[in-house]
Amino acid sequence: MKSKIDIAYEQYIHQERRTKRNVLFTQFLLFVLFVGVWELASTQNWINPLLFSSPSRISELFINKIGDGTLLVHIAATTGETLASFVIATIFGTACAAILWWAPFVSKVSDPYLVVLNAMPKVALGPILIVALGPGYISIIAMGVLISFVITTLVVYAAFHETDQNYIKVIETFGGDKKQVFQEVTLPAAIPTIISTLKVNVGLSWVGVIVGEFLVSKKGLGYMIIYGFQVFNFTLVLLSLFIIAILATFMYTGVGMLENRWRKR
Amino acid sequence: MAFLTVNQLTHAYFSTQSVTTALENISLQVEEGEFVSFLGPSGCGKTTLLSLIAGLMPPTIGTVKIQNENVQKAHNQIGYMFQQDYLFPWRTIEENIFIGLKIQHKLDKMSKTFALDLLEQLNLEHTRTKYPHELSGGMRQRIALVRTLATQPVLLLLDEPFSALDYQTKLKLENLVFNTLKEHQKTALLVTHDIGEAIAMSDRVIVFSANPGKIKSIHTIPSELQKMEPFEVRNHEDYKHIFQTIWEELNELEVEN
Ligand SMILES: Nc1ncnc2c1ncn2[C@@H]1O[C@H](COP(=O)(O)OP(=O)(O)OP(=O)(O)O)[C@@H](O)[C@H]1O
Ligand SMILES: [Mg+2]
């Protein structure tokens, strides 16, 4: 009896492993196929090689740029700006949310302004930022912060606001004041929401920083894109795109790991 | 001077559209060590009354005094238990039972030992490092009791603490709470919808009528039954008789509404 279950279980595990292997293999195959077809189409002139470049040209450029050290400078600049705007936006947004929660009057007064700010395409403020803060990395970071902090404030405030009243009542029956309610209930109860806004903010910070670099920068991956576009070097544009995709994925995965670690507690 | 004095208490909830008078002209005195139950139809203001006694909000009219002191300053003397346990899911059981002590800045070696001893008395010491979601409903409500008693309150306010439990667990917990409170000589107010529970646990049962909430009648339980454990009371011959009286009274109230 038991051995029959064991056998069935072994089969099940075996099947699961096989499915997993097949998925990985297909994913890999697709990637190879994509790169291969692209390369072929480019060398055979089925697509315009000036516009779509080719994997070999992109990797050649990659090796060159790594070699002369310029690529790392660009990557460092953009990553630094993105991380800075991501961290600042999250902390600043959560702090604003805390103020709104703390002072209902402030929250009522600021409500329509927040709605307008949230609806507004923040990118449109770019030129004003540059004039106000100068054409440097401060403007770029400000752009990244601006784009994600309003939504962080709104979402985290909503989480603070929706804290189960009964948990608050528990603290109040012990004589807890508002500060203790915030420390012991409101903030910890909102941690899952804050972590999920981190995920959104990763993406938004990248948008803000790249747009910022389009507008002002002399370095960074956004600058590489604009420069490549201006001198009609699409190999450079595509290289930047790939690097951005990889870096953004790393950051997103990092936040995902943070989330898992918190869940396990 | 009584231990708890509620004097001509009236409470109304305001919204921009309407006024709801939840309680009207409630006066009530409770002696130290007494166990009093509140019975009444849904919405008659029982929870409101407990919240006012706990000093969670100021009454519209009237006063509540504990040992001749206004309740707003008496938080450290009150313990409150809810219908559900409301243990914080992100804290371990140990951290949960220390929360009241932490809030009141009384978290030291002695108070910790006291709380952990209580946990042991209720046979729950093995749950110390667990999280609430790992425990059953009955265990969680017992932990909530430990959390409430850990700050050594003199007055306990119990708002339907057993109503979310299955019948058997409920009967056991009634006995447990009764004995624990008698042992520590606490004064207690219990809100319940269960007539039997009210009779079995209390020294006095106060029946409320609704819209607005008022005291309808007060039943003093015979002293012989007062001393018995709740489970024994439920089997006593006088129990049925008292049950019948209160049952009819509550039925009348329903007809009136
Ligand atoms: N926060 C509130 N805001 C407005 N009205 C309220 C509020 N809390 C209670 N009420 C109203 O006050 C009245 C009394 O409510 P309360 O919760 O005290 O009744 P209860 O006796 O505890 O009822 P139940 O037995 O259902 O728990 C009800 O009419 C209710 O609608
Ligand atoms: Mg109630």
Short mmCIF file of all heavy atoms in Angstrom, two decimals, chain A residues 187-239:
data_model
loop_
_atom_site.label_atom_id
_atom_site.label_comp_id
_atom_site.label_asym_id
_atom_site.label_seq_id
_atom_site.Cartn_x
_atom_site.Cartn_y
_atom_site.Cartn_z
N LEU A 187 2.21 51.27 11.24
CA LEU A 187 3.39 51.06 10.40
C LEU A 187 3.64 49.58 10.10
O LEU A 187 3.72 49.19 8.93
CB LEU A 187 4.62 51.74 11.02
CG LEU A 187 5.87 51.71 10.16
CD1 LEU A 187 5.65 52.45 8.84
CD2 LEU A 187 7.06 52.33 10.89
N PRO A 188 3.72 48.71 11.12
CA PRO A 188 3.95 47.29 10.79
C PRO A 188 2.85 46.69 9.92
O PRO A 188 3.14 45.85 9.05
CB PRO A 188 4.01 46.60 12.16
CG PRO A 188 3.71 47.61 13.18
CD PRO A 188 3.79 48.95 12.58
N ALA A 189 1.59 47.13 10.12
CA ALA A 189 0.51 46.56 9.31
C ALA A 189 0.65 46.98 7.85
O ALA A 189 0.16 46.30 6.95
CB ALA A 189 -0.85 47.00 9.87
N ALA A 190 1.32 48.12 7.61
CA ALA A 190 1.43 48.62 6.23
C ALA A 190 2.69 48.14 5.52
O ALA A 190 2.88 48.44 4.35
CB ALA A 190 1.39 50.16 6.24
N ILE A 191 3.55 47.41 6.23
CA ILE A 191 4.82 46.97 5.62
C ILE A 191 4.62 46.20 4.31
O ILE A 191 5.31 46.48 3.33
CB ILE A 191 5.65 46.15 6.63
CG1 ILE A 191 6.06 47.01 7.81
CG2 ILE A 191 6.87 45.52 5.95
CD1 ILE A 191 7.40 47.66 7.75
N PRO A 192 3.67 45.26 4.23
CA PRO A 192 3.48 44.58 2.94
C PRO A 192 3.15 45.55 1.81
O PRO A 192 3.66 45.40 0.69
CB PRO A 192 2.30 43.64 3.21
CG PRO A 192 2.30 43.43 4.67
CD PRO A 192 2.80 44.70 5.28
N THR A 193 2.32 46.55 2.10
CA THR A 193 2.00 47.55 1.08
C THR A 193 3.23 48.34 0.69
O THR A 193 3.48 48.60 -0.49
CB THR A 193 0.93 48.53 1.61
OG1 THR A 193 -0.12 47.77 2.17
CG2 THR A 193 0.40 49.42 0.51
N ILE A 194 4.03 48.72 1.69
CA ILE A 194 5.23 49.50 1.40
C ILE A 194 6.17 48.70 0.50
O ILE A 194 6.71 49.22 -0.48
CB ILE A 194 5.93 49.93 2.71
CG1 ILE A 194 5.04 50.91 3.46
CG2 ILE A 194 7.28 50.57 2.41
CD1 ILE A 194 5.53 51.30 4.82
N ILE A 195 6.30 47.41 0.80
CA ILE A 195 7.17 46.59 -0.03
C ILE A 195 6.64 46.47 -1.46
O ILE A 195 7.40 46.52 -2.42
CB ILE A 195 7.37 45.20 0.61
CG1 ILE A 195 8.25 45.35 1.85
CG2 ILE A 195 8.07 44.24 -0.36
CD1 ILE A 195 8.52 44.08 2.59
N SER A 196 5.32 46.38 -1.58
CA SER A 196 4.80 46.28 -2.95
C SER A 196 4.93 47.60 -3.71
O SER A 196 5.07 47.60 -4.93
CB SER A 196 3.37 45.75 -2.97
OG SER A 196 2.51 46.68 -2.40
N THR A 197 4.94 48.73 -2.99
CA THR A 197 5.21 49.98 -3.70
C THR A 197 6.67 50.05 -4.12
O THR A 197 7.00 50.68 -5.12
CB THR A 197 4.89 51.25 -2.87
OG1 THR A 197 5.74 51.28 -1.74
CG2 THR A 197 3.46 51.30 -2.43
N LEU A 198 7.55 49.39 -3.35
CA LEU A 198 8.96 49.35 -3.76
C LEU A 198 9.08 48.79 -5.17
O LEU A 198 9.84 49.27 -6.00
CB LEU A 198 9.78 48.45 -2.82
CG LEU A 198 10.03 48.93 -1.41
CD1 LEU A 198 10.93 47.94 -0.68
CD2 LEU A 198 10.66 50.29 -1.40
N LYS A 199 8.30 47.75 -5.43
CA LYS A 199 8.37 47.10 -6.75
C LYS A 199 7.96 48.07 -7.85
O LYS A 199 8.60 48.12 -8.90
CB LYS A 199 7.43 45.89 -6.77
CG LYS A 199 8.06 44.65 -6.23
CD LYS A 199 7.15 43.47 -6.48
CE LYS A 199 7.90 42.18 -6.22
NZ LYS A 199 6.97 41.05 -6.16
N VAL A 200 6.88 48.80 -7.59
CA VAL A 200 6.43 49.78 -8.58
C VAL A 200 7.48 50.86 -8.74
O VAL A 200 7.81 51.30 -9.84
CB VAL A 200 5.08 50.40 -8.13
CG1 VAL A 200 4.63 51.47 -9.11
CG2 VAL A 200 4.03 49.32 -8.00
N ASN A 201 8.04 51.29 -7.60
CA ASN A 201 9.01 52.39 -7.63
C ASN A 201 10.28 52.05 -8.40
O ASN A 201 10.90 52.94 -8.97
CB ASN A 201 9.37 52.81 -6.20
CG ASN A 201 8.24 53.58 -5.56
OD1 ASN A 201 7.25 53.87 -6.22
ND2 ASN A 201 8.37 53.89 -4.30
N VAL A 202 10.69 50.80 -8.37
CA VAL A 202 11.87 50.41 -9.16
C VAL A 202 11.65 50.80 -10.61
O VAL A 202 12.47 51.50 -11.22
CB VAL A 202 12.13 48.89 -9.07
CG1 VAL A 202 13.18 48.48 -10.08
CG2 VAL A 202 12.59 48.51 -7.69
N GLY A 203 10.52 50.40 -11.17
CA GLY A 203 10.23 50.71 -12.57
C GLY A 203 10.12 52.20 -12.81
O GLY A 203 10.72 52.74 -13.74
N LEU A 204 9.40 52.89 -11.90
CA LEU A 204 9.18 54.32 -12.09
C LEU A 204 10.48 55.11 -11.98
O LEU A 204 10.71 56.07 -12.74
CB LEU A 204 8.16 54.84 -11.08
CG LEU A 204 6.72 54.39 -11.31
CD1 LEU A 204 5.81 54.90 -10.20
CD2 LEU A 204 6.21 54.88 -12.67
N SER A 205 11.35 54.72 -11.06
CA SER A 205 12.63 55.42 -10.91
C SER A 205 13.44 55.31 -12.19
O SER A 205 14.09 56.28 -12.61
CB SER A 205 13.45 54.84 -9.76
OG SER A 205 12.77 55.01 -8.56
N TRP A 206 13.43 54.15 -12.82
CA TRP A 206 14.15 54.00 -14.08
C TRP A 206 13.59 54.94 -15.14
O TRP A 206 14.35 55.63 -15.83
CB TRP A 206 14.07 52.55 -14.59
CG TRP A 206 15.11 51.69 -13.96
CD1 TRP A 206 14.94 50.84 -12.92
CD2 TRP A 206 16.50 51.63 -14.31
NE1 TRP A 206 16.13 50.25 -12.59
CE2 TRP A 206 17.10 50.71 -13.42
CE3 TRP A 206 17.29 52.27 -15.26
CZ2 TRP A 206 18.45 50.40 -13.47
CZ3 TRP A 206 18.64 51.96 -15.31
CH2 TRP A 206 19.21 51.05 -14.43
N VAL A 207 12.27 55.02 -15.22
CA VAL A 207 11.66 55.94 -16.19
C VAL A 207 12.14 57.36 -15.93
O VAL A 207 12.63 58.05 -16.83
CB VAL A 207 10.11 55.88 -16.10
CG1 VAL A 207 9.49 56.95 -17.00
CG2 VAL A 207 9.60 54.51 -16.47
N GLY A 208 12.03 57.80 -14.66
CA GLY A 208 12.40 59.16 -14.32
C GLY A 208 13.85 59.46 -14.65
O GLY A 208 14.17 60.49 -15.25
N VAL A 209 14.74 58.54 -14.26
CA VAL A 209 16.17 58.79 -14.46
C VAL A 209 16.53 58.80 -15.94
O VAL A 209 17.28 59.67 -16.40
CB VAL A 209 17.00 57.74 -13.68
CG1 VAL A 209 18.45 57.73 -14.15
CG2 VAL A 209 16.93 58.02 -12.19
N ILE A 210 15.98 57.88 -16.70
CA ILE A 210 16.31 57.85 -18.13
C ILE A 210 15.80 59.12 -18.82
O ILE A 210 16.53 59.76 -19.59
CB ILE A 210 15.70 56.59 -18.81
CG1 ILE A 210 16.31 55.32 -18.21
CG2 ILE A 210 15.93 56.63 -20.31
CD1 ILE A 210 17.81 55.15 -18.42
N VAL A 211 14.57 59.51 -18.49
CA VAL A 211 14.05 60.75 -19.07
C VAL A 211 14.93 61.94 -18.66
O VAL A 211 15.28 62.79 -19.48
CB VAL A 211 12.58 60.98 -18.66
CG1 VAL A 211 12.13 62.39 -19.03
CG2 VAL A 211 11.69 59.95 -19.30
N GLY A 212 15.30 61.96 -17.38
CA GLY A 212 16.17 63.02 -16.89
C GLY A 212 17.47 63.07 -17.68
O GLY A 212 17.94 64.14 -18.06
N GLU A 213 18.04 61.91 -17.94
CA GLU A 213 19.30 61.86 -18.69
C GLU A 213 19.10 62.28 -20.15
O GLU A 213 19.98 62.90 -20.74
CB GLU A 213 19.90 60.45 -18.61
CG GLU A 213 20.49 60.15 -17.24
CD GLU A 213 21.14 58.78 -17.15
OE1 GLU A 213 20.95 57.95 -18.08
OE2 GLU A 213 21.81 58.52 -16.14
N PHE A 214 17.95 61.94 -20.71
CA PHE A 214 17.63 62.43 -22.06
C PHE A 214 17.77 63.95 -22.09
O PHE A 214 18.29 64.53 -23.03
CB PHE A 214 16.17 62.11 -22.42
CG PHE A 214 15.95 60.69 -22.87
CD1 PHE A 214 16.98 59.77 -22.93
CD2 PHE A 214 14.68 60.27 -23.26
CE1 PHE A 214 16.77 58.48 -23.35
CE2 PHE A 214 14.45 58.98 -23.68
CZ PHE A 214 15.49 58.08 -23.73
N LEU A 215 17.26 64.59 -21.03
CA LEU A 215 17.16 66.04 -21.04
C LEU A 215 18.47 66.75 -20.77
O LEU A 215 18.78 67.76 -21.38
CB LEU A 215 16.11 66.50 -20.03
CG LEU A 215 14.66 66.12 -20.38
CD1 LEU A 215 13.73 66.53 -19.24
CD2 LEU A 215 14.23 66.78 -21.67
N VAL A 216 19.25 66.25 -19.80
CA VAL A 216 20.40 67.05 -19.38
C VAL A 216 21.76 66.39 -19.48
O VAL A 216 22.77 67.08 -19.62
CB VAL A 216 20.26 67.53 -17.91
CG1 VAL A 216 19.11 68.48 -17.78
CG2 VAL A 216 20.12 66.34 -16.99
N SER A 217 21.85 65.12 -19.43
CA SER A 217 23.10 64.54 -18.97
C SER A 217 24.21 64.53 -20.01
O SER A 217 23.99 64.58 -21.22
CB SER A 217 22.86 63.14 -18.49
OG SER A 217 24.03 62.62 -17.96
N LYS A 218 25.44 64.44 -19.48
CA LYS A 218 26.62 64.22 -20.31
C LYS A 218 27.12 62.78 -20.13
O LYS A 218 28.11 62.38 -20.69
CB LYS A 218 27.73 65.21 -19.93
CG LYS A 218 27.35 66.64 -20.25
CD LYS A 218 27.51 66.94 -21.74
CE LYS A 218 26.76 68.20 -22.14
NZ LYS A 218 25.30 67.98 -22.34
N LYS A 219 26.47 62.06 -19.23
CA LYS A 219 26.80 60.65 -19.09
C LYS A 219 25.58 59.86 -18.60
O LYS A 219 24.55 60.44 -18.27
CB LYS A 219 27.99 60.45 -18.16
CG LYS A 219 27.79 60.97 -16.76
CD LYS A 219 29.04 60.73 -15.93
CE LYS A 219 28.83 61.19 -14.50
NZ LYS A 219 29.90 61.98 -13.95
N GLY A 220 25.71 58.55 -18.62
CA GLY A 220 24.60 57.70 -18.21
C GLY A 220 24.01 56.98 -19.41
O GLY A 220 24.29 57.31 -20.57
N LEU A 221 23.21 55.96 -19.12
CA LEU A 221 22.66 55.13 -20.19
C LEU A 221 21.63 55.88 -21.03
O LEU A 221 21.51 55.68 -22.24
CB LEU A 221 22.06 53.85 -19.60
CG LEU A 221 23.10 52.96 -18.90
CD1 LEU A 221 22.41 51.93 -18.01
CD2 LEU A 221 23.98 52.27 -19.92
N GLY A 222 20.88 56.77 -20.37
CA GLY A 222 19.91 57.61 -21.09
C GLY A 222 20.64 58.51 -22.08
O GLY A 222 20.19 58.70 -23.23
N TYR A 223 21.77 59.05 -21.62
CA TYR A 223 22.58 59.90 -22.50
C TYR A 223 23.09 59.09 -23.69
O TYR A 223 23.09 59.56 -24.83
CB TYR A 223 23.73 60.49 -21.69
CG TYR A 223 24.84 61.05 -22.56
CD1 TYR A 223 24.68 62.25 -23.23
CD2 TYR A 223 26.04 60.35 -22.71
CE1 TYR A 223 25.68 62.76 -24.04
CE2 TYR A 223 27.05 60.85 -23.51
CZ TYR A 223 26.86 62.06 -24.18
OH TYR A 223 27.85 62.54 -24.97
N MET A 224 23.53 57.84 -23.43
CA MET A 224 24.01 56.98 -24.51
C MET A 224 22.93 56.78 -25.58
O MET A 224 23.21 56.78 -26.78
CB MET A 224 24.43 55.60 -23.96
CG MET A 224 25.91 55.51 -23.63
SD MET A 224 26.29 54.02 -22.68
CE MET A 224 25.96 52.74 -23.86
N ILE A 225 21.69 56.62 -25.13
CA ILE A 225 20.59 56.44 -26.08
C ILE A 225 20.41 57.68 -26.94
O ILE A 225 20.35 57.62 -28.17
CB ILE A 225 19.28 56.10 -25.34
CG1 ILE A 225 19.40 54.72 -24.71
CG2 ILE A 225 18.08 56.16 -26.28
CD1 ILE A 225 18.20 54.29 -23.92
N ILE A 226 20.34 58.82 -26.28
CA ILE A 226 20.13 60.08 -27.01
C ILE A 226 21.29 60.36 -27.96
O ILE A 226 21.12 60.73 -29.13
CB ILE A 226 19.96 61.25 -26.01
CG1 ILE A 226 18.56 61.23 -25.45
CG2 ILE A 226 20.25 62.60 -26.64
CD1 ILE A 226 17.47 61.54 -26.46
N TYR A 227 22.51 60.14 -27.46
CA TYR A 227 23.70 60.37 -28.29
C TYR A 227 23.70 59.45 -29.51
O TYR A 227 23.90 59.90 -30.64
CB TYR A 227 24.97 60.16 -27.44
CG TYR A 227 26.24 60.34 -28.24
CD1 TYR A 227 26.70 61.61 -28.58
CD2 TYR A 227 26.96 59.22 -28.67
CE1 TYR A 227 27.85 61.77 -29.31
CE2 TYR A 227 28.12 59.38 -29.42
CZ TYR A 227 28.56 60.65 -29.74
OH TYR A 227 29.69 60.81 -30.48
N GLY A 228 23.42 58.16 -29.30
CA GLY A 228 23.37 57.19 -30.39
C GLY A 228 22.34 57.59 -31.43
O GLY A 228 22.53 57.47 -32.64
N PHE A 229 21.23 58.10 -30.92
CA PHE A 229 20.15 58.54 -31.79
C PHE A 229 20.60 59.73 -32.64
O PHE A 229 20.37 59.80 -33.85
CB PHE A 229 18.95 58.91 -30.91
CG PHE A 229 17.86 59.68 -31.58
CD1 PHE A 229 17.10 59.10 -32.59
CD2 PHE A 229 17.57 60.99 -31.19
CE1 PHE A 229 16.08 59.81 -33.21
CE2 PHE A 229 16.56 61.70 -31.82
CZ PHE A 229 15.82 61.12 -32.82
N GLN A 230 21.30 60.68 -31.99
CA GLN A 230 21.72 61.90 -32.69
C GLN A 230 22.76 61.61 -33.79
O GLN A 230 22.73 62.20 -34.85
CB GLN A 230 22.26 62.93 -31.70
CG GLN A 230 21.14 63.67 -30.99
CD GLN A 230 21.63 64.40 -29.75
OE1 GLN A 230 22.78 64.26 -29.34
NE2 GLN A 230 20.74 65.16 -29.15
N VAL A 231 23.68 60.68 -33.49
CA VAL A 231 24.72 60.38 -34.51
C VAL A 231 24.32 59.17 -35.34
O VAL A 231 25.13 58.62 -36.08
CB VAL A 231 26.10 60.14 -33.86
CG1 VAL A 231 26.53 61.36 -33.05
CG2 VAL A 231 26.08 58.90 -32.97
N PHE A 232 23.08 58.74 -35.20
CA PHE A 232 22.52 57.62 -35.94
C PHE A 232 23.33 56.33 -35.75
O PHE A 232 23.60 55.60 -36.69
CB PHE A 232 22.41 57.95 -37.43
CG PHE A 232 21.19 57.34 -38.03
CD1 PHE A 232 19.93 57.89 -37.80
CD2 PHE A 232 21.27 56.20 -38.81
CE1 PHE A 232 18.80 57.31 -38.33
CE2 PHE A 232 20.12 55.60 -39.34
CZ PHE A 232 18.89 56.17 -39.10
N ASN A 233 23.72 56.09 -34.49
CA ASN A 233 24.42 54.86 -34.15
C ASN A 233 23.48 53.97 -33.33
O ASN A 233 23.46 54.03 -32.10
CB ASN A 233 25.70 55.21 -33.35
CG ASN A 233 26.46 53.95 -32.96
OD1 ASN A 233 26.01 52.83 -33.18
ND2 ASN A 233 27.63 54.15 -32.37
N PHE A 234 22.68 53.15 -34.04
CA PHE A 234 21.66 52.40 -33.32
C PHE A 234 22.21 51.19 -32.60
O PHE A 234 21.56 50.62 -31.74
CB PHE A 234 20.50 52.04 -34.25
CG PHE A 234 19.53 53.17 -34.36
CD1 PHE A 234 19.74 54.19 -35.27
CD2 PHE A 234 18.46 53.26 -33.49
CE1 PHE A 234 18.87 55.26 -35.34
CE2 PHE A 234 17.58 54.33 -33.55
CZ PHE A 234 17.79 55.34 -34.49
N THR A 235 23.43 50.81 -32.93
CA THR A 235 24.09 49.78 -32.14
C THR A 235 24.26 50.25 -30.70
O THR A 235 24.00 49.52 -29.75
CB THR A 235 25.46 49.45 -32.74
OG1 THR A 235 25.29 49.24 -34.14
CG2 THR A 235 26.08 48.23 -32.11
N LEU A 236 24.64 51.51 -30.58
CA LEU A 236 24.81 52.10 -29.25
C LEU A 236 23.48 52.17 -28.50
O LEU A 236 23.39 51.84 -27.31
CB LEU A 236 25.41 53.49 -29.40
CG LEU A 236 25.85 54.20 -28.11
CD1 LEU A 236 26.94 53.41 -27.43
CD2 LEU A 236 26.33 55.61 -28.43
N VAL A 237 22.42 52.57 -29.21
CA VAL A 237 21.09 52.67 -28.61
C VAL A 237 20.65 51.30 -28.08
O VAL A 237 20.21 51.16 -26.93
CB VAL A 237 20.06 53.20 -29.63
CG1 VAL A 237 18.66 53.13 -29.03
CG2 VAL A 237 20.41 54.62 -30.04
N LEU A 238 20.81 50.29 -28.92
CA LEU A 238 20.35 48.96 -28.53
C LEU A 238 21.18 48.40 -27.37
O LEU A 238 20.64 47.77 -26.46
CB LEU A 238 20.40 48.01 -29.73
CG LEU A 238 19.28 48.26 -30.73
CD1 LEU A 238 19.53 47.52 -32.04
CD2 LEU A 238 17.92 47.87 -30.15
N LEU A 239 22.48 48.67 -27.39
CA LEU A 239 23.34 48.22 -26.29
C LEU A 239 22.85 48.82 -24.97
O LEU A 239 22.70 48.10 -23.97
CB LEU A 239 24.79 48.63 -26.56
CG LEU A 239 25.78 48.32 -25.42
CD1 LEU A 239 25.89 46.83 -25.18
CD2 LEU A 239 27.16 48.90 -25.73
#
